[in-house]
Every structure is written in C-alpha cells, then in structure tokens.
Amino acid sequence: MKKSLKQRSSDHHRGIYFIGTTPPKIDTDFESVSTIADKLLARLDEISFDGLIIYDIQDETSRIDTPRPFPFKATHDSGTYAQLINQKSGKPVIAYKSVAGLDEQGFNEWLSRAWYQNNVRDLVLVGSPSTQVTSSLPLNDAYRVLAEHSQQFYLGGVAIAERHLSKKNEHIRLLGKSTHGCEYYITQAVYNAQATIDMLTSYAQECASNNVQPNRIILTFSPCGSAKTLDFINWLGVSVPEHTSKRILSAADPLYESIKINHSNLLQILAAVIPLNIPLGLNIESLTNRKTEIDASILMYKLLKGTMDQALAQNQIDQFVLNK
C-alpha cells in the first residue's frame, strides 16, 4: 500500500522532496492539458521525488503598482489538474487553493469536489494577495470552513520570509496557522538566505517557548535564466539582494549562475537551521515555461536534493555519536 504524504512526512529525520508546477492556461483544451502533464512527468522520469505541488495562480496586480512582466491569464482549476497529475504519476499532489474570490458556500463546494471527484488529500490555502482588496472569504474564515468540512485534508500553509524581513512576525503567523490545522509550510522562492534563516530561527525559538514541535518547512528554489525572469521574481515579492541580481545578470550563463547561487543559499540555510531540529523539505519550481529554465530546474533539483539528503544524514550520524 502506498504511503500518504502525511505518512511520508512523519519521519522528521528525512527530507521530503517536491516539484512545483502550475496548471495550463484556462483556454487549453483537455487533450492538450493531458499532453502537457505527460511532458512534465516525462522530464521527471530520471529523478526520485515524493510528490508534486500544483499552484493556484492569482491576478496579483492589486499587490503592486509595477506591471506584471508576464501577462496574467487564468489557469485550469488546481484541484482538477492535481487529479490528472496524481492519476498519471501515482504520486501525492499538494493543491494550492486561493480562497479570495470565493464565499463560504463556494469554498465548501470546492472542497467537496476536490475530495470526492479530484481525490485531493493534500492542500494549501492562500488568502488575498493584498490587504487593499476586501476578500469575500478571509483566510481565517476559510480555515474555519475547512475545519467544519466532513473530510480531513492534510493541510499546509505558506511561509514568507520577505514578510518576516519587514514585519518581524512571520514566526507568530506560522504558529497561528498551526492552530488552524496547518501541519507543514511551503516557502516562496528563496533568494535571500539570511531572511529565511532569520524567519526559521525565530520560528524555532517561538516553538521552544510554547513547548511545541516545529512543523515541517519545505524550502522552495527556482532557477533564473534571464533579466525578464528576474523581473518576474522581484514582481512576485521575492527578496533578491542587489549583489545577487548583479551576479546573475552579469554572468556569462545567468541560468548556471542562478543554480550556483541557489545551492550556496541552501548550504547556508542548512548549516543554520538543521541544529534547530526543524523538519525540512525541498520544492523546486520553474517560474516560466521556457524549456531551458524547466530543464535547469530538474538539474538544480538533483543538486539540491543530494545536498539536503547528505546534510540530514550527517546530522543523524552526529546525533547518534553524541547519544552513544
């Protein structure tokens, strides 16, 4: 019998590993959607991973005045695409769901459809992209609707180091989300290692103060092969230090340089965070549909997964020696 994602994640000594992707555009016919899914999974044939993450893309123009580098276009429903990917891959799939455009009844109906029709078991809820926009269903209300639903999803939340950078309270938000049933958190793309380290250190300290075990943190990394992709990364609210931007853009091969930067950032994070006993995971995504960046994300996955596996194994050995 195949293990559920929750069962796989229960061993806090091992990492769990994901590939992140988005559903095809809404005007893509079903046959083409199926072909796109096949192509993605064919690329993943050569790697070992625990599951996939399907994002629910929102129109975030209310969050920022700068024009979106890549025009927004609605996509197929994340739950429907998660079902297709799950059927084709046999792997667990985490479906993101934006609740901002729904009311309680609409969200409840989506949950039932996701569970009974789409076979979605693993879920991350996302609220409104901006405090300037009044949502018909605030995130806390969505958590309540979910708690009252007849089925129990394996629920995760979003961790945003950039918010911690400015407000210094993301660790409190993470603990708050756990009271709503969140059992793991997925970061947005990491390009500022120190911001992530600060957030996770504060989170570990807050958990210790409250005498609770930290939830698993799944670190997201994405390659960057061009100035336009970098503009998009910045537009999404990802913190990219100025020296990092310059290093990527001035490199002979920006894509290769971004992989080296991501690897270096992961090494820094692991060195700082593994001693805090936070269970970790890894999510690799390509933020564009450019073939070179998608292929680079697979190569980067291999490198970063190997790095995390080695660091976690070394930590287990160190603990074993210490406790002899």
Side-chain angles (χ1 to χ4, degrees):
M1 185 177 173
K2 287 183 179 177
K3 284 186 176 181
S4 69
L5 189 56
K6 186 169 184 173
Q7 288 170 323
R8 290 178 191 220
S9 190
S10 62
D11 180 358
H12 287 184
H13 295 294
R14 76 179 289 262
I16 55 173
Y17 302 98
F18 297 91
I19 296 293
T21 190
T22 56
K25 300 292 186 280
I26 192 70
D27 56 3
T28 311
D29 64 78
F30 185 77
E31 188 177 334
S32 299
V33 169
S34 183
T35 302
I36 289 166
D38 287 336
K39 284 181 179 176
L40 169 67
L41 295 173
R43 282 191 174 105
L44 306 183
D45 260 354
E46 59 185 282
I47 62 173
S48 169
F49 60 101
D50 291 300
L52 295 104
I53 295 171
I54 308 296
Y55 296 111
D56 188 14
I57 302 301
Q58 302 179 69
D59 183 0
E60 298 185 39
T61 48
S62 61
R63 181 182 52 79
I64 188 170
D65 293 332
T66 313
R68 197 179 195 273
F70 298 98
F72 171 78
K73 196 168 187 180
T75 63
H76 280 274
D77 176 67
S78 57
T80 305
Y81 195 57
Q83 177 188 18
L84 183 67
I85 292 289
N86 172 252
Q87 286 173 341
K88 287 177 176 292
S89 68
K91 299 277 190 180
V93 180
I94 297 174
Y96 271 54
K97 181 58 184 173
S98 168
V99 300
L102 298 170
D103 57 17
E104 290 193 15
Q105 182 183 342
F107 180 48
N108 209 32
E109 288 171 356
W110 185 90
L111 287 172
S112 293
R113 190 165 60 250
W115 184 279
Y116 294 109
Q117 293 179 30
N118 301 143
N119 200 36
V120 170
R121 298 292 180 264
D122 311 305
L123 187 63
V124 169
L125 300 186
V126 183
S128 174
S130 169
T131 54
Q132 309 302 315
V133 177
T134 305
S135 173
S136 51
L137 185 62
L139 191 55
N140 283 347
D141 289 349
Y143 283 135
R144 175 180 50 77
V145 173
L146 180 63
E148 293 167 357
H149 193 267
S150 58
Q151 299 298 340
Q152 193 171 5
F153 291 84
Y154 182 42
L155 179 66
V158 176
I160 302 179
E162 285 75 8
R163 201 155 51 194
H164 193 75
L165 206 56
S166 59
K167 298 184 178 178
K168 307 295 182 189
N169 68 348
E170 190 68 3
H171 58 301
I172 305 295
R173 295 172 72 106
L174 296 181
L175 232 63
K177 286 180 181 180
S178 69
T179 65
H180 289 296
C182 289
E183 298 183 65
Y184 57 96
Y185 306 108
I186 303 174
T187 72
Q188 67 178 14
V190 173
Y191 265 95
N192 186 331
Q194 193 56 52
T196 300
I197 291 166
D198 291 349
M199 176 183 71
L200 297 186
T201 302
S202 297
Y203 175 58
Q205 289 170 347
E206 194 68 24
C207 287
S209 298
N210 287 273
N211 199 30
V212 296
Q213 168 68 36
N215 283 334
R216 189 179 289 275
I217 305 285
I218 298 164
L219 301 165
T220 300
F221 293 88
S222 182
C224 173
S226 70
K228 193 166 185 180
T229 301
L230 185 58
D231 285 344
F232 189 42
I233 288 170
N234 282 303
W235 187 89
L236 288 169
V238 174
S239 169
V240 186
E242 189 178 350
H243 67 87
T244 300
S245 296
K246 288 179 176 176
R247 186 176 153 190
I248 291 171
L249 295 178
S250 64
D253 188 334
L255 200 50
Y256 176 64
E257 196 66 27
S258 78
I259 292 175
K260 289 202 298 184
I261 288 166
N262 278 296
H263 185 230
S264 172
N265 285 342
L266 177 61
L267 286 170
Q268 291 174 59
I269 293 166
L270 291 173
V273 171
I274 283 181
L276 303 177
N277 294 315
I278 298 174
L280 295 173
L282 191 64
N283 170 39
I284 305 298
E285 62 182 11
S286 173
L287 289 169
T288 74
N289 58 8
R290 291 172 174 160
K291 184 180 183 301
T292 53
E293 291 189 352
I294 294 170
D295 290 345
S297 70
I298 305 300
L299 290 172
M300 191 168 81
Y301 174 89
K302 293 178 183 177
L303 177 63
L304 270 56
K305 179 183 185 293
T307 299
M308 182 175 280
D309 269 342
Q310 184 176 5
L312 293 174
Q314 186 62 56
N315 184 58
Q316 269 192 279
I317 292 167
D318 293 345
Q319 293 300 315
F320 175 76
V321 171
L322 212 70
N323 295 327
K324 274 186 74 173

